[in-house]
Amino acid sequence: MEYVISFTLEDNIAVIAIDSPPVNALGLAVRRGLVDAITRAEKDGAKAALIYAEGRTFPAGADIREFGKAPQPPSLPDVCARIEESDLLVVVAIHGTALGGGLEVALGADYRIAAPGSRVGLPEVLIGLLPGAGGTQRLPRLIGVEKAIGVITSGRQVGAAEALELGIIDRIEDGKPRETGLAYVREMLAQDAPRRPIRAMQAPAPVDFDAAYDAALKKARGQISPPYAVRGIQAACELGFDDGMARERALFRELMETDQRAALIHAFFGERAVSNLPELKGVAPRPVANVGIIGGGTMGAGIATAALLAGLDVVLLEMTVDAAAAAKARIVKNISGAQKRGKIDQAHFDHLTGTALKLSTDYDALAQVDLVIEAVFENMSVKKQVFARLDAVCKPGAVLATNTSYLDVNEIAAATSRPEDVIGLHFFSPAHVMKLLEVVVADRTAADVVATGFALGKRLGKVSVRAGVCDGFIGNRILLAYRTAADHMVLDGASPFQIDRVMRAFGFAMGPFQVGDLAGLDIGWATRKRLAPTRDPRERVPTYVDKLCEQGHLGQKTGLGYYIYGDGVPKENPEVLALIEAERKALGITPRDFSDEEILRRYMCAMVNESARVVGEGIARRPLDVDMVFLTGYGFPRYRGGPMKWADMDGLARILDDINTFAKADPYFWQPAPLLADLVTEGKAFDDLNKET
Ligand code: 3HC
Ligand code: NAI
């Protein structure tokens, strides 16, 4: 077994260092090493022990890669108990992030000291679990029930200052953890400080746990780990320490077996795997210190905001001086939002909205930028003109990116003499908030331009997913398919409001018609018009919404769409039902009832089928890439893992069966994706394709 714990004796203090890169996760070797080190410290006659970590962080948790494998002793709860029950005075020195099992180890100690920038937390609920090594038992004893519920059910990382205030740590000290930790131990020994095992602390006073459970369930929109954690904390109040630990263990084991846990861990590793691409291996990105942005509307202003907040200088080009002023006003509004949330101070605000941001109406201003992102109107001839101008003014080697939602990036690249420098960088609205960036790789895009797209995404804090060129790339193409399935259901008898309700109950933040109102009904209207000339006559497209658009009702931005927006909760718009009824009549459709279950099946089958096509055609490299697009850009419930993970768990054969059943009435729309049919024949899952790369 690898050597991951080092042990030295300094006077009468055992110095125990964890060294297991990259994040000192508490895998088997670390757990064994910690127990051995405590035993050795006791044998060697030490009076106290210091536990700290080498490298970038104190342990960031249990080793997630071990989940699902046969557990090997010592378990993490036993390690924490071993530390807590030792007669030694144990101090932990934290730096980086003491998370999950890492913080639980620290809670096994008598005292905790932390470096100023460090963060602590119990993020287990975020991967579908609850703290399983005493976190639900020790934290409430240390900081009280209400605060423990807040920390544990949110899974949030708590900064050192707040951790001190809450009483999770005892001291903040700048310096290397070995040195600050040793000084602290010496001081404690000199003072003859008592041992302070948390298990011996009084059980905290209970609260209304049923109410806390309901609140956690509601907040998590169907995710069960936060309410389970409430039950764990309840046990700390109602049972003795040992029985409480047993209860925590039982709840932990139960969660470990759930699809939600599998889905959330898929999401955790998926977000990291998306940028792990063979084509990027050994390819250095081009340096980017500043960016040019063309068009300062909704998207351009959002992208400029994200770039500025990431420390990049921005040159923004608009058509007129007035449009430039309006763009600046949007950016200033966004950045003052960051200031209000305490992310930046006044001096930083002044810099970002002053020196770091230049506005212009002249292309020459873009001559020296390292990367340009075009965000003008969604119109091919306008985009081509813009790229021809960029080709003329930009320095050699500048990356030329388009934020187009649907248009052919190859055609845009062909408007320049340097198609190898052209790429799609598809942000999502609001661009300074949404995590997703689709990096659209055209036929001739150079590898280092792809690498630059990913490097920029990382710098902006995005989850970047590689996409190939097609109408709508990964996300919007799949969206069109399931939105079409929803539209068909409306034509045949379902109401948009019922569909929205069903999809919210599934865990989406919003249903598809609410999303339509939010994005603007004119977007779908434009898509319908764009696709009309090439549309197959067998395709069924409802046009009732066009009538709202023609009257100037475009959704939220005009106060009226599927819903009526005013003060308070939006109301269903009855006019929509009348328009639908009229269209059904005109088409000779007798409406029928749809059960919630049928709505869900049709919606999800359409989504999965188109996802399979997108992977089969190589537009997305792996199923996990599709999943990450949906989790980070389309409000898909994270605890369901994304459409392809959900499909694996639901069973691909069942989905194919449903598609074949739906195809009996509409064989044109419900054509099974070849990849889906092949996987069912081979008895494989989408996840098998994730493992191949
Ligand atoms: N187990 C195994 N591997 C882990 C890990 C863990 N707990 N945490 C991170 N890693 C791996 C990542 O997969 C990544 O591997 P890669 O380089 O091969 O892709 C590498 O460590 C570095 O991680 P990041 O890329 O995420 O690095 P960052 O610096 O961006 O973030 C972090 C560091 C904040 C620690 C982040 O990784 C994180 O949040 N980790 C998970 C924390 C967590 O959920 N802990 C709870 C675990 S469950 C538990 O403890 C159960 C217990 O209660 C019994
Ligand atoms: P918008 O209409 O809000 O803004 C476009 C801006 O571009 C306007 O301010 C306009 O003055 C400016 N502009 C137009 N032609 C120009 C030119 N030749 N030179 C300089 N400036 C010019 O549009 P929005 O929503 O910001 O969309 C921009 C692009 O981003 C489109 O390609 C769209 O498809 C894409 N996109 C939009 C998303 C959205 O949710 N709105 C999401 C992702 C991509």
Side-chain angles (χ1 to χ4, degrees):
M1 188 166 289
E2 58 197 306
Y3 187 70
V4 292
I5 300 283
S6 70
F7 180 97
T8 46
L9 209 53
E10 299 255 341
D11 307 325
N12 49 5
I13 303 167
V15 180
I16 301 167
I18 305 168
D19 189 5
S20 181
V23 296
N24 288 309
L26 292 148
L28 178 61
V30 176
R31 296 198 305 274
R32 272 195 191 151
L34 280 174
V35 169
D36 291 349
I38 293 288
T39 307
R40 183 165 165 202
E42 288 164 348
K43 276 200 190 129
D44 288 359
K47 281 203 169 150
L50 166 70
I51 302 175
Y52 78 98
E54 295 288 348
R56 62 198 243 204
T57 180
F58 196 76
D63 189 340
I64 303 175
R65 287 171 212 275
E66 282 183 358
F67 293 173
K69 297 182 188 157
Q72 297 224 53
S75 71
L76 201 50
D78 288 347
V79 174
C80 298
R82 182 70 186 82
I83 294 170
E84 191 174 54
E85 283 158 14
S86 167
D87 286 337
L88 301 166
L89 182 87
V90 184
V91 168
V92 155
I94 293 168
H95 76 295
T97 43
L99 300 177
L103 179 58
E104 288 173 303
V105 164
L107 295 176
D110 296 298
Y111 296 94
R112 288 156 289 279
I113 180 170
S118 49
R119 282 167 290 145
V120 303
L122 294 169
E124 286 88 344
V125 296
L126 305 178
I127 51 170
L129 293 168
L130 51 69
T136 64
Q137 304 306 298
R138 291 193 180 91
L139 195 65
R141 281 182 165 78
L142 193 62
I143 68 170
V145 171
E146 303 273 8
K147 287 172 185 160
I149 289 178
V151 169
I152 293 175
T153 60
S154 66
R156 75 189 172 92
Q157 296 182 13
V158 180
E162 190 190 347
L164 182 68
E165 208 179 293
L166 286 171
I168 302 176
I169 58 171
D170 304 295
R171 185 179 282 195
I172 298 175
E173 193 82 57
D174 206 358
K176 294 199 167 122
R178 189 179 200 281
E179 270 91 73
T180 55
L182 259 175
Y184 192 36
V185 181
R186 289 200 172 105
E187 192 184 317
M188 299 306 258
L189 285 177
Q191 288 172 9
D192 216 6
R195 286 197 53 243
R196 205 182 44 165
I198 296 177
R199 63 171 288 141
M201 292 181 186
Q202 204 184 355
V207 298
D208 181 347
F209 281 106
D210 289 343
Y213 180 95
D214 290 344
L217 186 62
K218 188 161 175 230
K219 198 162 176 211
R221 268 200 231 109
Q223 188 183 323
I224 57 170
S225 51
Y228 264 55
V230 170
R231 293 294 182 224
I233 297 166
Q234 182 172 6
C237 298
E238 294 177 355
L239 309 175
F241 186 83
D242 291 332
D243 288 344
M245 285 298 293
R247 176 87 180 113
E248 178 192 86
R249 203 72 209 147
L251 291 167
F252 183 83
R253 289 218 173 100
E254 218 181 293
L255 287 176
M256 189 63 98
E257 298 309 314
T258 58
D259 280 353
Q260 291 198 0
R261 193 276 303 161
L264 286 161
I265 288 185
H266 170 72
F268 178 83
F269 285 119
E271 277 180 2
R272 285 153 181 82
V274 278
S275 52
N276 185 6
L277 299 173
E279 73 195 273
L280 298 183
K281 294 263 147 41
V283 180
R286 297 182 188 176
V288 174
N290 53 21
V291 297
I293 293 170
I294 309 178
T298 311
M299 292 309 290
I303 298 166
T305 306
L308 287 164
L309 288 171
L312 293 159
D313 285 347
V314 169
V315 181
L316 191 142
L317 194 80
E318 256 292 353
M319 289 201 289
T320 63
V321 173
D322 283 352
K328 178 159 183 180
R330 283 186 201 101
I331 297 168
V332 168
K333 188 167 171 239
N334 292 341
I335 294 184
S336 41
Q339 191 187 8
K340 279 191 199 113
R341 286 191 303 280
K343 300 231 176 220
I344 53 169
D345 60 18
Q346 185 64 42
H348 197 173
F349 174 88
D350 293 343
H351 170 71
L352 296 186
T353 54
T355 353
L357 173 65
K358 286 195 178 61
L359 290 120
S360 180
T361 54
D362 181 356
Y363 271 82
D364 287 342
L366 299 173
Q368 290 310 316
V369 295
D370 298 321
L371 182 145
V372 188
I373 303 170
E374 164 278 310
V376 304
F377 303 132
E378 186 76 341
N379 175 302
M380 183 55 96
S381 65
V382 177
K383 304 248 185 215
K384 280 182 169 171
Q385 281 167 26
V386 167
F387 274 77
R389 294 293 299 275
L390 289 176
D391 193 20
V393 299
C394 288
K395 66 182 181 187
V399 172
L400 311 181
T402 172
N403 181 48
T404 179
S405 307
Y406 293 93
L407 301 177
D408 184 344
V409 183
N410 285 315
E411 200 178 330
I412 294 172
T416 73
S417 65
R418 34 176 144 168
E420 65 282 0
D421 293 341
V422 177
I423 192 163
L425 291 178
H426 183 212
F427 290 82
F428 288 73
S429 181
H432 56 298
V433 176
M434 294 295 286
K435 290 288 268 181
L436 177 60
L437 176 66
E438 284 183 334
V439 178
V440 185
V441 180
D443 292 348
R444 296 183 58 188
T445 310
D448 65 345
V449 171
V450 181
T452 310
F454 273 88
L456 179 73
K458 187 164 187 191
R459 178 140 188 204
L460 302 187
K462 305 292 179 199
V463 172
S464 309
V465 180
R466 183 198 199 281
V469 176
C470 69
D471 202 292
F473 316 121
I474 299 177
N476 282 345
R477 172 168 159 184
I478 297 168
L479 165 69
L480 183 62
Y482 63 81
R483 179 52 211 251
T484 301
D487 284 338
H488 288 176
M489 288 190 273
V490 168
L491 280 179
D492 292 335
S495 94
F497 312 120
Q498 185 190 3
I499 296 175
D500 278 353
R501 267 196 303 276
V502 171
M503 296 326 297
R504 278 199 308 271
F506 178 81
F508 277 96
M510 283 190 237
F513 298 96
Q514 289 175 287
V515 171
D517 272 0
L518 178 69
L521 298 180
D522 45 329
I523 293 189
W525 193 26
T527 306
R528 283 190 291 282
K529 282 194 263 192
R530 181 166 50 83
L531 298 179
T534 52
R535 185 174 293 140
D536 190 294
R538 289 168 295 179
E539 215 170 302
R540 303 169 69 209
V541 182
T543 55
Y544 67 91
V545 208
D546 299 355
K547 301 201 174 64
L548 281 185
C549 298
E550 283 157 15
Q551 294 162 23
H553 301 313
L554 304 177
Q556 269 194 34
K557 60 186 162 190
T558 59
L560 196 90
Y562 286 96
Y563 297 83
I564 303 167
Y565 299 88
D567 296 336
V569 183
K571 293 190 200 60
E572 298 172 2
N573 180 1
E575 194 193 340
V576 168
L577 297 179
L579 289 173
I580 294 168
E581 204 42 57
E583 181 153 357
R584 284 180 193 143
K585 271 216 182 82
L587 294 169
I589 297 169
T590 312
R592 68 176 177 89
D593 283 343
F594 279 79
S595 69
D596 290 356
E597 171 65 11
E598 181 177 358
I599 288 176
L600 182 67
R601 294 305 298 172
R602 284 181 178 264
Y603 196 85
M604 291 308 296
C605 285
M607 192 185 300
V608 172
N609 201 36
E610 194 63 17
S611 299
R613 242 183 232 121
V614 160
V615 173
E617 290 171 18
I619 298 298
R621 285 193 70 251
R622 300 152 296 190
L624 71 84
D625 294 276
V626 175
D627 284 341
M628 296 314 120
V629 164
F630 275 82
L631 296 188
T632 55
Y634 290 80
F636 195 99
R638 193 174 166 91
Y639 64 84
R640 295 194 191 272
M644 312 212 82
K645 183 70 180 173
W646 176 85
D648 276 351
M649 294 187 298
D650 192 67
L652 299 192
R654 185 164 110 103
I655 289 169
L656 184 61
D657 274 355
D658 278 355
I659 291 173
N660 285 328
T661 307
F662 303 150
K664 286 182 190 143
D666 184 355
Y668 175 75
F669 180 72
W670 290 106
Q671 296 171 39
L675 177 66
L676 177 63
D678 289 350
L679 288 174
V680 171
T681 308
E682 293 162 22
K684 286 188 174 167
F686 287 126
D687 204 35
D688 293 315
L689 306 177
N690 291 329
K691 289 172 193 140
E692 282 168 14
T693 47

